[in-house]
């Protein structure tokens, strides 16, 4: 007999039909006449109730049916007599496929803290919270590919090992096969990377953008979706050392077209999750509401999770220049009452508290900030006519701040070379990148969306470590 998933059973499988269900026991309760076993197989947040009549199943035969055990159940699907479920299975056979010792199995019926669950990340998928989070993550990832595929974009795999630093930040993980104790040295005592595997110093990528631009100069519209790495010693709720980025690059796009696409993209993937994971999002919303009750009134969410997501999908994002955003911050009561931890003045890189003020207090919706000072942005961003700002944009979301960063790229060879010199990048190091300006260059633009931050936004989870299966952070590479 073919196995039927819980999700399919609960969506209206034929009552009276014999079914085979395989999954893990969430709970077992009962009396001397009957046992009620809640089984979940990960296909939905909901369990299916298995009814084991004492006339068919002795207490001894069910002794290994404990929380966490994997079982196979055969029985008849019937309309449920009890509350909380529409259907249940009247079991005719129950086979224990994998035992779980109730004395040592760490997931019991009581609530567990997120901190504790991070310590057993290999088992946390089995909880309702993380089951919901990762089903939502799955849907968002699928929606990313569907969105770009529908628009005719080419999916491009850019290298994970690279010799370039797209961001110029220098916080990169070294990739090497050299002896860590006695590496070969040059005459002046430096590590001789010419003897390394690739014949030069290489790192894990911080971005696929530069390579993505090369492909956009042939296919017009491309996107990447892959892992990126930052060796940044940040132990915060917003940072990971390994995370996933979505980076589209579009030929013949300007900054406005770039922002329009990013807004459409964000709304599309959120809408997809709302349509396909509503029960998961409702559950996560209830969890967030419970969490909110323990916070002071002024720190509580003004909207439920569902309301926030539907508001984003159904409303235009606010657009404001960096210069106007600074003026808003300087004129705010928050600034006048010295409630910002970081100072506000033209030329600063906006901090998370500034971004969240603009989004959550002033505009009360997602905000697209454009035209940042050139000195705080990357060399590849197109210089504006004022000579002080670049055609950059960041999309700021409620709860987490920046969720998208992008720009129109500098297509003018002479200006790009000057910008590279200004940040200490030699022309020879990026000769291949400059070739795209030498040979058939054109106006083009692109953006990057941090996938984990998007998952955070849609699930309402407060810590980025709870939206990636196995978080990589400073001093932590477990599992």
């Amino acid at each position: 007999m073919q196995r039927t998933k819980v999700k399919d059973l609960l969506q209206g499988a034929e009552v009276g039909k014999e079914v085979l269900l395989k999954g893990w026991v969430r709970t077992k309760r009962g009396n001397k006449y009957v046992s009620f076993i809640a089984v979940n197989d990960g296909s939905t947040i909901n369990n299916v109730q298995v009814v084991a009549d004492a006339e068919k199943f002795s207490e001894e035969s069910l002794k290994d049916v404990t929380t966490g055990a994997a079982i196979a159940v055969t029985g008849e699907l019937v309309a449920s007599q009890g509350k909380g479920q529409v259907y249940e299975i009247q079991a005719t056979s129950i086979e224990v496929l994998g035992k779980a010792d109730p004395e040592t199995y760490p997931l019991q019926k009581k609530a567990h803290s997120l901190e504790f669950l991070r310590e057993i990340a290999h088992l946390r998928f089995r909880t309702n919270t993380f089951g919901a989070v990762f089903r939502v993550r799955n849907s968002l990832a699928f929606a990313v590919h569907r969105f770009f595929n529908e628009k005719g974009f080419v999916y491009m795999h850019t290298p994970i090992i690279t010799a370039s630093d797209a961001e110029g930040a220098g916080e990169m993980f070294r990739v090497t096969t050299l002896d860590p104790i006695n590496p070969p040295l040059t005459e002046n005592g430096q590590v001789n990377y010419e003897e390394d595997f690739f014949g030069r110093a290489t790192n894990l990528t911080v971005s696929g953008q530069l390579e993505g631009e090369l492909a956009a100069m042939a296919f017009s519209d491309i996107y990447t979706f892959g892992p990126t790495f930052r060796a940044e010693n940040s132990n915060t709720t917003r940072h990971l050392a390994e995370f996933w980025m979505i980076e589209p690059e579009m030929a013949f796009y300007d900054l406005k077209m770039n922002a329009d696409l990013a807004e459409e993209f964000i709304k599309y993937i959120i809408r997809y999750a709302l349509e396909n994971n509503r029960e998961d999002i409702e559950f996560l919303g209830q969890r967030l509401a419970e969490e909110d009750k323990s916070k002071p009134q002024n720190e509580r969410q003004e909207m439920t999770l569902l309301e926030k997501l539907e508001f984003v999908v159904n409303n235009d994002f606010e657009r404001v220049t960096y210069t106007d955003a600074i003026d808003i911050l300087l004129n705010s009561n928050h600034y006048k009452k010295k409630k910002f931890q970081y100072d506000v003045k033209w030329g600063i890189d906006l901090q998370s508290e500034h971004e969240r003020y603009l989004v959550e207090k002033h505009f009360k919706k997602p905000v697209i900030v454009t035209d940042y000072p050139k000195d705080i942005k990357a060399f590849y961003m197109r210089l504006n006519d004022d000579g002080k700002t670049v055609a950059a944009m960041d999309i700021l979301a409620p709860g987490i701040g920046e969720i998208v960063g992008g720009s129109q790229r500098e297509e003018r060879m002479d200006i790009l070379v000057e910008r590279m010199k200004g940040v200490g990048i030699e022309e020879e190091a990026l000769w291949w990148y400059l070739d795209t300006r030498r040979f058939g260059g054109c106006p083009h633009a692109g953006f990057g969306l941090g996938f984990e931050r998007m998952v955070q936004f849609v699930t309402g989870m407060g810590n980025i470590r709870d939206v990636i299966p196995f978080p990589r952070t400073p001093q932590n590479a477990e599992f």
Side-chain angles (χ1 to χ4, degrees):
M1 189 189 307
Q2 189 172 356
R3 174 170 74 101
T4 305
K5 290 194 172 184
V6 171
K7 186 175 184 179
D8 297 328
L9 283 178
L10 299 181
Q11 284 180 345
E14 188 181 335
V15 171
K17 182 181 177 183
E18 187 179 46
V19 295
L20 170 62
L21 174 73
K22 295 181 180 181
W24 294 270
V25 176
R26 285 292 175 87
T27 60
K28 185 179 82 168
R29 60 186 176 83
N31 51 47
K32 63 181 179 179
Y33 304 108
V34 66
S35 292
F36 300 101
I37 305 159
V39 180
N40 188 284
D41 64 1
S43 61
T44 171
I45 198 164
N46 299 303
N47 306 322
V48 68
Q49 179 168 278
V50 174
V51 181
D53 197 302
E55 291 182 3
K56 297 177 183 172
F57 298 94
S58 66
E59 190 176 330
E60 176 65 20
S61 70
L62 296 179
K63 67 180 175 62
D64 291 329
V65 179
T66 59
T67 298
I71 63 172
V73 178
T74 305
E76 182 185 354
L77 185 70
V78 299
S80 179
Q81 303 299 310
K83 293 181 179 179
Q85 65 273 332
V86 179
Y87 306 109
E88 62 190 23
I89 296 174
Q90 291 282 352
T92 53
S93 78
I94 298 175
E95 179 188 359
V96 177
L97 303 176
K99 297 179 184 179
D101 182 353
E103 297 299 317
T104 56
Y105 183 58
L107 294 174
Q108 296 299 326
K109 195 173 180 180
K110 67 174 185 176
H112 298 286
S113 72
L114 298 179
E115 290 80 5
F116 169 73
L117 292 173
R118 268 176 233 135
E119 294 172 10
I120 54 165
H122 59 304
L123 296 174
R124 67 178 180 170
F125 303 117
R126 302 187 189 188
T127 65
N128 280 339
T129 296
F130 286 98
V133 165
F134 290 111
R135 277 188 296 271
V136 171
R137 182 184 172 108
N138 170 67
S139 284
L140 289 170
F142 178 78
V144 167
H145 291 296
R146 199 169 90 157
F147 174 83
F148 287 117
N149 190 59
E150 287 175 2
K151 288 193 168 293
F153 278 59
V154 173
Y155 178 32
M156 191 61 54
H157 294 114
T158 53
I160 289 173
I161 299 173
T162 178
S164 64
D165 178 0
E167 301 299 317
E171 295 161 333
M172 306 178 77
F173 289 102
R174 183 81 69 198
V175 175
T176 181
T177 58
L178 295 178
D179 185 333
I181 308 299
N182 294 302
L185 302 177
T186 61
E187 290 180 1
N188 60 5
Q190 301 293 312
V191 174
N192 186 1
Y193 287 105
E194 288 184 4
E195 294 189 30
D196 207 347
F197 186 91
F198 293 106
R200 62 191 302 181
T202 52
N203 315 283
L204 294 178
T205 185
V206 298
S207 169
Q209 180 208 312
L210 300 188
E211 293 87 354
E213 284 188 55
L214 310 185
M217 293 299 103
F219 298 105
S220 292
D221 301 322
I222 69 97
Y223 74 104
T224 76
F225 186 0
T228 50
F229 308 85
R230 300 276 169 91
E232 185 179 351
N233 191 17
S234 293
N235 259 310
T236 77
T237 58
R238 299 173 69 243
H239 290 90
L240 292 165
E242 175 185 288
F243 53 98
W244 288 69
M245 286 284 288
I246 299 139
E247 296 178 290
E249 288 291 328
M250 296 76 63
F252 315 114
Y253 265 55
D254 62 18
L255 184 65
K256 182 183 182 303
M257 296 162 73
N258 196 30
D260 289 344
L261 183 77
E263 180 174 344
E264 182 187 358
F265 170 57
I266 288 171
K267 289 179 176 179
Y268 181 99
I269 63 175
I270 292 175
R271 189 180 294 113
Y272 185 87
L274 285 169
E275 290 170 356
N276 291 275
N277 296 81
R278 198 165 190 90
E279 285 184 333
D280 289 320
I281 292 171
E282 285 173 349
F283 171 82
L284 292 166
Q286 291 164 4
R287 183 199 153 277
L288 192 59
E290 283 298 313
E291 200 177 68
D292 252 13
K293 288 179 183 177
S294 62
K295 295 179 181 177
Q297 191 67 40
N298 65 328
E299 291 180 20
R300 295 181 187 178
Q301 307 282 335
E302 292 184 15
M303 297 180 181
T304 66
L305 182 59
L306 265 175
E307 286 170 344
K308 179 185 76 172
L309 296 176
E310 286 169 346
F311 181 81
V312 168
V313 165
N314 296 323
N315 286 278
D316 292 338
F317 292 7
E318 193 69 41
R319 303 193 184 203
V320 63
T321 66
Y322 169 90
T323 299
D324 288 343
I326 291 294
D327 287 342
I328 289 167
L329 293 170
L330 288 172
N331 289 314
S332 68
N333 285 331
H334 218 70
Y335 176 76
K336 291 171 183 174
K337 292 179 179 178
K338 300 185 177 178
K339 290 186 177 180
F340 288 125
Q341 181 182 349
Y342 295 93
D343 193 21
V344 177
K345 61 181 178 181
W346 199 94
I348 63 159
D349 202 354
L350 293 176
Q351 298 294 321
S352 179
E353 62 175 349
H354 304 140
E355 295 171 340
R356 292 186 63 175
Y357 178 85
L358 292 167
V359 172
E360 296 166 29
K361 303 296 183 189
H362 188 81
F363 290 112
K364 297 185 184 293
K365 61 166 73 172
V367 178
I368 303 178
V369 181
T370 63
D371 303 299
Y372 282 78
K374 68 179 177 67
D375 293 339
I376 61 170
K377 288 295 182 181
F379 72 91
Y380 51 73
M381 297 186 177
R382 194 180 201 276
L383 191 65
N384 287 330
D385 292 343
D386 61 14
K388 297 189 302 179
T389 62
V390 289
M393 64 142 197
D394 286 348
I395 298 183
L396 315 179
I400 47 177
E402 183 194 336
I403 199 167
V404 164
S407 72
Q408 186 173 337
R409 313 311 191 190
E410 183 57 80
E411 85 280 10
R412 298 164 295 186
M413 180 78 169
D414 54 341
I415 296 175
L416 181 59
V417 169
E418 275 303 308
R419 294 274 284 141
M420 287 169 60
K421 283 180 184 173
V423 295
I425 299 175
E426 298 291 331
E427 288 183 53
E428 294 76 27
L430 289 180
W431 63 270
W432 45 270
Y433 185 67
L434 293 174
D435 267 4
T436 58
R437 276 67 175 172
R438 288 189 185 98
F439 309 126
C442 68
H444 60 289
F447 62 84
L449 179 142
F451 186 55
E452 280 72 28
R453 288 194 184 175
M454 174 53 72
V455 180
Q456 261 193 288
F457 182 70
V458 176
T459 60
M461 299 300 284
N463 195 319
I464 201 165
R465 301 174 194 206
D466 295 328
V467 297
I468 191 167
F470 303 105
R472 297 291 179 252
T473 53
Q475 304 299 307
N476 176 43
E478 195 66 82
F479 311 110

